[in-house]
Amino acid sequence: MNSKQISYLRGLAHNLNPVVMISNKGLSEAVLKEINLNLDAHELIKIKVAGDDRELRAQLLVDICAQTNAVAVHHIGKQLVVYRKSATKPKIVVPVK
């Protein structure tokens, strides 16, 4: 995705509430399942991460995107935003350019 597409998705994510919370226990199979379910349902989701380790949150974002085939949209503070286009019926139309 190019920077304009990421910027568009960031704008859409601004008003979203976190749908998944990651506790201090980290990224478990149950959390990944919830992330996948929410990506299937909404395409663009916000995830809240507990803990104060910025490097750990950045690594969580990379891990989530790798394991769910999603795109990292934004990481600010304890919030992560990820996007995955629906395979069957896309809800969000991302601009081509």
Side-chain angles (χ1 to χ4, degrees):
M1 294 195 116
N2 64 35
S3 61
K4 291 223 181 227
Q5 292 168 323
I6 295 290
S7 179
Y8 174 77
L9 291 172
R10 281 175 58 184
L12 291 178
H14 182 72
N15 294 325
L16 294 179
N17 292 321
V19 293
V20 178
M21 308 268 187
I22 300 176
S23 70
N24 291 330
K25 294 180 182 178
L27 195 60
S28 66
E29 287 298 318
V31 172
L32 276 174
K33 184 178 178 184
E34 277 301 309
I35 291 170
N36 273 315
L37 285 171
N38 280 290
L39 282 170
D40 288 340
H42 305 292
E43 293 183 322
L44 183 68
I45 64 169
K46 195 178 278 188
I47 302 166
K48 186 163 184 158
V49 181
D52 294 326
D53 187 353
R54 181 170 173 74
E55 291 176 14
L56 176 64
R57 290 192 305 266
Q59 186 58 47
L60 279 172
L61 182 59
V62 171
D63 293 344
I64 289 167
C65 291
Q67 294 181 38
T68 61
N69 295 321
V71 175
V73 174
H74 197 49
H75 170 211
I76 184 162
K78 295 183 179 186
Q79 304 222 351
L80 313 175
V81 179
V82 294
Y83 168 77
R84 181 176 70 196
K85 184 177 180 178
S86 175
T88 56
K89 192 174 175 184
K91 294 178 173 119
I92 299 173
V93 179
V94 179
V96 178
K97 289 188 178 184

